Amino acid sequence: MDLMKLTNMKESENKKSTWALGISIVAILLCLLIFVLWAFEVMPHSVVTVDSFIGACVALLGVIVTLAVGWQIYNAVEVKAMIKDYANKQEEINTLQNQLKDELKRLKIETEYATHHSLHLHAVTMALNCGFEQKYSEACYHCLEALAECAQMKEPMNAIKIIEKLDYFLGKMKKETKLSKSSQLEIKAMNKIIRASEHFRGFEDKYEDVIAKYLKKVGLEFD
């Protein structure tokens, strides 16, 4: 829309410039015509004298100069209005861009929360399934995974219940379980995520008791 407006304005400017040029040329031709008529005595000198010819030329030049100056003033005012209009448009564009950035940021956060929610539910399902199959070591791992995803959600869910379930599965483990290097690294990473959460204070005491039992059971120490 703005591009069409700008194009129309340019076409209008070109038409106005053409008209101004045409008027100037006509005025000059009239001056030359009067000069020719006077030089070849087509008209009596009593009608067109030197003084009257010069006066006519000066008058025409005065009119041309007046029109030219007025035209420039008009253009200056119009350009100033255009600049102000474009400045307002730019301000509106900047406002819309900021609103768009805020909305994209909000959508990104909401998407991350939704992802953590889905992963949390998946980990809870895996923990319950492993518990049903009496794979208690894996069930404990998935409980920690579910708690880590829960800690990254906007509103934590099931945190206390997950810790209680982790404690329950620990009680079912008959002996110490050795973890692979990759599992140890993953558990350490999940522990850091849980402790860094803004929701950690809400379940800190219960978590500290259960995680101490878990570390002793799997023979693992945190740095």
Side-chain angles (χ1 to χ4, degrees), residues 15-219:
K15 289 180 180 179
K16 292 176 181 177
S17 299
T18 303
W19 275 102
L21 180 61
I23 293 172
S24 299
I25 292 173
V26 170
I28 294 172
L29 290 176
L30 287 175
C31 290
L32 292 175
L33 178 61
I34 293 173
F35 176 77
V36 171
L37 291 174
W38 175 80
F40 291 96
E41 299 182 356
V42 175
M43 298 176 68
H45 286 186
S46 61
V47 176
V48 182
T49 63
V50 175
D51 293 336
S52 62
F53 172 74
I54 295 174
C57 290
V58 170
L60 285 173
L61 289 175
V63 171
I64 294 172
V65 171
T66 302
L67 290 175
V69 172
W71 179 250
Q72 293 301 321
I73 294 173
Y74 173 78
N75 283 338
V77 173
E78 190 172 5
V79 169
K80 185 177 180 180
M82 288 173 57
I83 292 174
K84 184 178 180 180
D85 183 54
Y86 285 134
N88 293 334
K89 293 290 184 182
Q90 186 62 46
E91 187 175 352
E92 291 178 5
I93 291 172
N94 292 337
T95 301
L96 290 174
Q97 286 179 340
N98 292 332
Q99 292 177 353
L100 180 60
K101 288 179 181 179
D102 293 339
E103 183 64 16
L104 290 174
K105 185 178 180 180
R106 186 189 67 80
L107 290 175
K108 182 179 179 182
I109 293 173
E110 292 295 333
T111 301
E112 289 178 353
Y113 286 149
T115 301
H116 291 310
H117 183 270
S118 299
L119 293 175
H120 165 75
L121 295 178
H122 175 72
V124 169
T125 303
M126 293 295 295
L128 295 175
N129 185 61
C130 289
F132 179 77
E133 296 178 356
Q134 298 183 357
K135 299 177 181 178
Y136 299 117
S137 177
E138 294 181 25
C140 290
Y141 173 87
H142 289 300
C143 282
L144 285 173
E145 184 181 14
L147 189 59
E149 296 298 336
C150 170
Q152 298 177 79
M153 293 167 59
K154 187 175 184 179
E155 295 293 338
M157 56 185 298
N158 306 324
I160 301 298
K161 292 182 179 180
I162 293 171
I163 294 173
E164 292 174 350
K165 207 65 179 177
L166 173 60
D167 193 28
Y168 171 78
F169 291 140
L170 282 173
K172 290 290 185 178
M173 292 174 64
K174 301 300 183 181
K175 58 181 181 178
E176 293 185 3
T177 302
K178 296 297 181 182
L179 300 174
S180 64
K181 289 290 185 182
S182 60
S183 296
Q184 291 180 14
L185 292 174
E186 290 172 357
I187 290 171
K188 288 180 179 180
M190 288 187 289
N191 176 67
K192 289 181 179 180
I193 291 173
I194 293 169
R195 292 180 182 279
S197 171
E198 60 182 8
H199 310 298
F200 181 63
R201 296 297 180 187
F203 53 84
E204 180 179 4
D205 294 338
K206 289 184 176 293
Y207 177 75
E208 294 292 1
D209 293 339
V210 176
I211 198 65
K213 295 178 184 178
Y214 179 73
L215 294 177
K216 184 177 180 180
K217 205 83 171 179
V218 298

